[in-house]
Amino acid sequence: MQLSATEQAMLDGAEGPAVQRALAYQVKVGRFFGAARMVPITNAHMMGDIEVLGDAGLAFLQDMQRAGALARIPITTNARCIDFAWADRLGQDPSECAKEREVIAALQGMAVMTTDTCINYQTLYQPHLGERVAWGDTGTCIYANSIFGARTNFESGPAALAAAITGRTPEYGFHLDEHRRGSFIVDIAGATLADLADWGALGKIVGEGHQSYYTVPVFTGFRRTPLADELKQLGAALASYGSMGMFHFVGLTPEAPTLEAAFGGSVPRDVERLVVDDAAIELVYAGYDLGEGDARLVVFSGPQLSLFELRDLGRLFEGRRVAPGTAVFVTSSNGVLSAARKLGYLAPLEAAGVCVLEGVCFYILQNLSQMREREGWKNMISNSAKIVNIIGAHRFRTILRRTADCVEIACTGRLA
Amino acid sequence: MTALLRLTRGFGSVVEGEAIVSDEGFSPRYDLDRWSGVITKPGHRLEGLSIKDRICFFPTAKGGIAAGWAFYDIQAKGIAPRAFCFGVTNPVMVQGAVLAGIPITEGWAPDPRTVLRTGDWVRVDPGRLVVELLRRAV
């Protein structure tokens, strides 16, 4: 790996032990992937909360802060595991809440902007074509690569933090043209995709069958302009089910003005073609059932909701009540929720008995397994295919349903 | 000793241990109880199995950015595997393993599912990019 004179000096300790440690770590990761060099970045986004950090991760952050670590470019934080206003009511551990405050203090001490959102691409920063960033939360990465044409790999918490400390990242994966070309075609001419959950179902179908970070699906044939929230659900599901970091959408994403362009010039003759139509989407929904459990937990989260989603959800809950014994959770960022409150979108949700959580995502909530046991929840129903996929380690059974169906289930306690 | 598998890339020191050979991919966020080291996702093909001190052969990495911190955390808790060998991985697994000092490799030939069984004792050498079979499971 070729380092510049500045980078070599960093590695030799010229900018202090924190920079030295961060760059040494990045070089090891870069060598694994055969990176030829480091490249400068303009923005970073990191996951760092006590649920995933554990005591060891917290100690690591505090060590780095003591060593003088300081972000040299803007770095924001992903959703965290505690909304302090709700912690008591949700039965979260006071000791972990105290540690979460230590995490936040350590991050802020390193000039990390604790924005606590997984939809930074909708609310905080929209990198332009070719701009190199270091983003974590897979949904943010796939959105940056695909919709903006920016360049990032999946950068986990320590990797994104290191990138902000050095202002660089190793050049491999989606920083290189060769990995950004399409791998196969997904024809969605026969898919209506009228609900957000349908876009997640599409991501599940495509992702599950092609699990590989470097597989880049090329969507074609769709007959209207998808909305940002629809592309958010698609990307989050592809990244979740397929571990994918990029997709093309012909005529929409900047590196795919044509089908040929999506493949880097010409479409390979033997390229795989997958057709996903309405029938295939319906089959996804048919694949879920209640099992031995009931339908007492409905979650709108993972990713956090945009202002538009909150407005639409408020309309669906207007004048209704969550069924007795049912719990409904909605999560978003401080910025979105502040605007939603000002515009009156939260009132119908709160009047209906929906729990609106700030700065968190449901599946990473501290003490979630204990919460599930205490409440006797077996099934979790959601319109997010991503959260339906990833909450399994907490032993939830999961059911994907369309948005209006989720609201109906929430208000009746019966699976629609 | 003859190499049982040849690997494409690797990080970390030479380790020996009992193999877990999985047909299904892996994510510490989606599949693992990070307080016990047991795979708890309902329906995972290795559900109920502990990865502690094992050498884990997973064909793919599932999404999820959590591995970056989670591997460091499970290493500190003493429930980490001795090595991760992936058919295809993603950067998060590598970033996490490097931070935690857990050996990790990507790419293999032949596919371990054709020549290795869970319980076999193997040696992984990420420097020489080989996996060697030391003894078969009884």
Side-chain angles (χ1 to χ4, degrees):
Chain A
M1 196 168 172
Q2 191 70 41
L3 297 182
S4 69
T6 307
E7 289 156 0
Q8 190 57 53
M10 287 175 163
L11 202 55
D12 294 340
E15 297 192 28
V19 171
Q20 183 179 32
R21 186 175 177 184
L23 190 63
Y25 167 62
Q26 292 185 295
V27 167
K28 281 184 197 166
V29 173
R31 282 201 182 120
F32 182 95
F33 289 105
R37 57 177 186 157
M38 303 292 291
V39 287
I41 56 158
T42 52
N43 189 271
H45 184 74
M46 70 171 286
M47 166 167 275
D49 63 87
I50 194 64
E51 196 267 349
V52 69
L53 284 159
D55 292 349
L58 171 57
F60 175 89
L61 290 180
Q62 290 170 329
D63 274 355
M64 288 299 281
Q65 189 194 1
R66 272 193 295 272
L70 209 57
R72 68 178 72 199
I73 53 156
I75 176 170
T76 48
T77 56
N78 210 47
R80 58 181 57 262
C81 65
I82 292 168
D83 173 348
F84 295 103
W86 277 87
D88 282 351
R89 279 175 279 179
L90 296 179
Q92 295 183 300
D93 290 330
S95 61
E96 295 301 302
C97 290
K99 287 180 198 167
E100 184 77 333
R101 291 188 193 279
E102 288 185 59
V103 169
I104 292 167
L107 291 172
Q108 290 180 347
M110 293 185 280
V112 175
M113 302 160 77
T114 49
T115 51
D116 308 338
T117 181
C118 54
I119 51 168
N120 61 326
Y121 50 90
Q122 291 187 306
T123 58
L124 298 175
Y125 192 68
Q126 292 81 38
H128 56 70
L129 181 64
E131 184 172 352
R132 296 181 192 276
V133 298
W135 280 12
D137 186 287
T138 59
T140 73
C141 297
I142 195 166
Y143 204 97
N145 281 322
S146 311
I147 310 303
F148 298 136
R151 297 189 172 212
T152 182
N153 285 305
F154 287 0
E155 298 266 14
S156 62
L161 179 63
I165 291 168
T166 65
R168 295 159 163 77
T169 197
E171 186 186 43
Y172 65 90
F174 289 104
H175 288 285
L176 301 170
D177 290 343
E178 67 201 72
H179 292 301
R180 301 178 69 86
R181 296 188 189 118
S183 310
F184 66 103
I185 295 172
V186 186
D187 181 344
I188 52 172
T192 309
L193 304 173
D195 188 79
L196 291 175
D198 297 342
W199 290 87
L202 171 62
K204 171 181 158 73
I205 292 168
V206 174
E208 259 181 352
H210 299 80
Q211 279 182 19
S212 169
Y213 182 63
Y214 292 117
T215 298
V216 180
V218 180
F219 293 90
T220 183
F222 196 56
R223 284 166 295 190
R224 68 171 167 87
T225 301
L227 305 176
D229 284 325
E230 295 173 326
L231 296 167
K232 166 169 94 170
Q233 289 291 340
L234 174 62
L238 290 170
S240 177
Y241 288 89
S243 193
M244 291 170 177
M246 185 166 181
F247 66 90
H248 294 292
F249 204 112
V250 174
L252 184 147
T253 54
E255 291 168 75
T258 63
L259 186 63
E260 290 72 25
F263 284 89
S266 63
V267 183
R269 229 176 1 172
D270 56 348
V271 71
E272 181 190 346
R273 289 171 191 269
L274 177 68
V275 174
V276 180
D277 57 13
D278 286 342
I281 299 288
E282 289 305 327
L283 269 181
V284 172
Y285 294 111
Y288 299 97
D289 59 55
L290 283 174
E292 308 281 298
D294 48 27
R296 294 193 297 112
L297 174 65
V298 181
V299 173
F300 301 92
S301 180
Q304 291 175 345
L305 274 64
S306 71
L307 190 62
F308 308 103
E309 290 177 274
L310 277 172
R311 185 198 58 172
D312 294 347
L313 203 57
R315 287 176 177 169
L316 289 169
F317 272 104
E318 182 85 54
R320 306 195 68 180
R321 287 283 308 165
V322 170
T326 294
V328 181
F329 292 91
V330 168
T331 77
S332 192
S333 68
N334 173 284
V336 169
L337 290 176
S338 299
R341 185 167 300 287
K342 187 175 173 186
L343 292 167
Y345 301 159
L346 297 189
L349 295 173
E350 289 171 342
V354 172
C355 310
V356 180
L357 304 183
E358 179 183 306
V360 298
C361 189
F362 186 79
Y363 75 91
I364 60 173
L365 284 178
Q366 194 272 330
N367 245 356
L368 184 58
S369 290
Q370 291 82 344
M371 227 179 283
R372 177 187 57 71
E373 286 167 19
R374 194 181 59 236
E375 301 292 338
W377 292 326
K378 297 262 195 297
N379 292 302
M380 184 210 67
I381 295 113
S382 180
N383 67 343
S384 160
K386 171 176 173 159
I387 200 168
V388 159
N389 186 38
I390 63 183
I391 206 164
H394 291 288
R395 300 182 204 234
F396 284 93
R397 293 181 82 262
T398 55
I399 298 173
L400 180 70
R401 283 294 180 266
R402 294 190 171 102
T403 311
D405 292 337
C406 287
V407 173
E408 200 57 32
I409 295 162
C411 297
T412 62
R414 289 190 303 276
L415 190 66
Chain B
M1 182 165 300
T2 326
L4 187 70
L5 308 179
R6 300 212 164 270
L7 308 168
T8 309
R9 51 188 142 258
F11 161 84
S13 51
V14 181
V15 285
E16 291 180 12
E18 194 182 324
I20 288 182
V21 184
S22 176
D23 275 331
E24 184 173 345
F26 175 73
S27 154
R29 167 78 88 197
Y30 301 1
D31 301 325
L32 187 71
D33 180 313
R34 287 174 281 120
W35 290 264
S36 66
V38 173
I39 292 184
T40 49
K41 178 170 181 170
H44 193 287
R45 282 172 228 172
L46 300 181
E47 186 183 350
L49 211 60
S50 170
I51 64 169
K52 181 186 175 189
D53 287 336
R54 307 295 178 87
I55 292 181
C56 297
F57 292 85
F58 290 112
T60 56
K62 296 183 191 173
I65 216 81
W69 293 121
F71 288 172
Y72 193 74
D73 177 42
I74 62 173
Q75 179 78 306
K77 286 175 178 157
I79 53 172
R82 291 187 188 163
F84 286 106
C85 299
F86 283 98
V88 182
T89 190
N90 69 32
V92 175
M93 301 289 161
V94 177
Q95 294 156 5
V98 169
L99 184 74
I102 301 170
I104 183 167
T105 71
E106 181 182 33
W108 53 39
D111 189 319
R113 289 169 286 188
T114 63
V115 293
L116 205 56
R117 288 192 307 267
T118 293
D120 289 345
W121 197 268
V122 296
R123 178 190 296 142
V124 179
D125 188 333
R128 287 169 50 232
L129 295 174
V130 292
V131 174
E132 294 158 329
L133 177 65
L134 300 183
R135 59 179 182 272
R136 285 286 181 196
V138 278

